[in-house]
Amino acid sequence: MTSPSALLTSVSPTAGVGSSSGTSCEDDALSSSFVARATSARSSGIARDRRARSRPRDAIVARAERETRLVSVLTSLPRRFNLYFQRRNYRVTLWRAISAYFGFYLANVMTLSFGAIGINDVVAGALSVAFFEVVTRIYYASAETNKWLEFLNWFKVGYCYSLIADAFKLGS
């Protein structure tokens, strides 16, 4: 068996029939078989391209079976989320505090905006109570508490704390 570099040199333009390079009949046979294989590969590739163009449904099915990057990122988010909190123990406490502070901030914004306008105070109060009840029911009814529910519960705690602090401010 000859090496690929020998096959490539045997196909060179100077190594043809009637050249004075001193090639043997074996080299000519190898070069012709190499050229024949290359042309047959090209022609089969063209035939494959024509078949792919004639059946567009096959191409669509093939694309739908593959997983896109966006889908792979979205499906790996829960695993990445859990790994994020398993690596460092303080991260859970930090995100609890961030959730509570964000709830505190949002409740202050709600009371300031609805209190200044004087319209829809009853609606804002009803929505707040409904939010508290729904979060409490979901959080305490679940057998296993996950991180999302825990952070949502801490958001609720911050929200409630802010409303109580505003009530004391108004009462004094």
Side-chain angles (χ1 to χ4, degrees):
M1 184 84 187
T2 58
S3 67
S5 61
L7 287 175
L8 288 177
T9 57
S10 67
V11 179
S12 68
T14 58
V17 178
S19 66
S20 60
S21 63
T23 59
S24 67
C25 291
E26 183 181 323
D27 287 341
D28 288 338
L30 284 175
S31 67
S32 65
S33 69
F34 177 73
V35 171
R37 273 187 272 143
T39 39
S40 69
R42 270 186 270 151
S43 65
S44 68
I46 292 169
R48 259 186 272 133
D49 289 341
R50 286 185 188 146
R51 277 184 267 140
R53 279 189 232 135
S54 66
R55 294 186 211 154
R57 285 185 230 139
D58 294 340
I60 293 171
V61 170
R63 256 186 256 137
E65 290 174 2
R66 288 191 325 210
E67 187 176 67
T68 63
R69 277 186 245 159
L70 179 63
V71 170
S72 65
V73 167
L74 291 177
T75 55
S76 69
L77 276 180
R79 183 176 41 90
R80 289 181 184 194
F81 185 74
N82 289 333
L83 285 175
Y84 175 77
F85 290 110
Q86 286 176 356
R87 288 185 187 146
R88 304 276 191 265
N89 293 332
Y90 66 89
R91 288 181 177 169
V92 174
T93 306
L94 176 73
W95 279 96
R96 285 177 186 160
I98 289 172
S99 299
Y101 291 145
F102 186 66
F104 186 87
Y105 173 74
L106 190 67
N108 276 325
V109 168
M110 291 278 293
T111 57
L112 287 174
S113 63
F114 283 114
I117 298 171
I119 303 172
N120 294 332
D121 288 339
V122 176
V123 173
L127 289 177
S128 296
V129 169
F131 172 72
F132 293 152
E133 292 299 321
V134 167
V135 170
T136 303
R137 176 163 298 206
I138 291 171
Y139 182 74
Y140 290 108
S142 66
E144 180 183 321
T145 59
N146 61 14
K147 299 276 189 279
W148 292 106
L149 285 176
E150 187 176 351
F151 296 148
L152 188 63
N153 193 39
W154 278 98
F155 174 83
K156 180 193 77 166
V157 168
Y159 194 91
C160 186
Y161 177 70
S162 175
L163 292 178
I164 291 171
D166 279 347
F168 279 125
K169 284 189 275 185
L170 291 174
S172 63

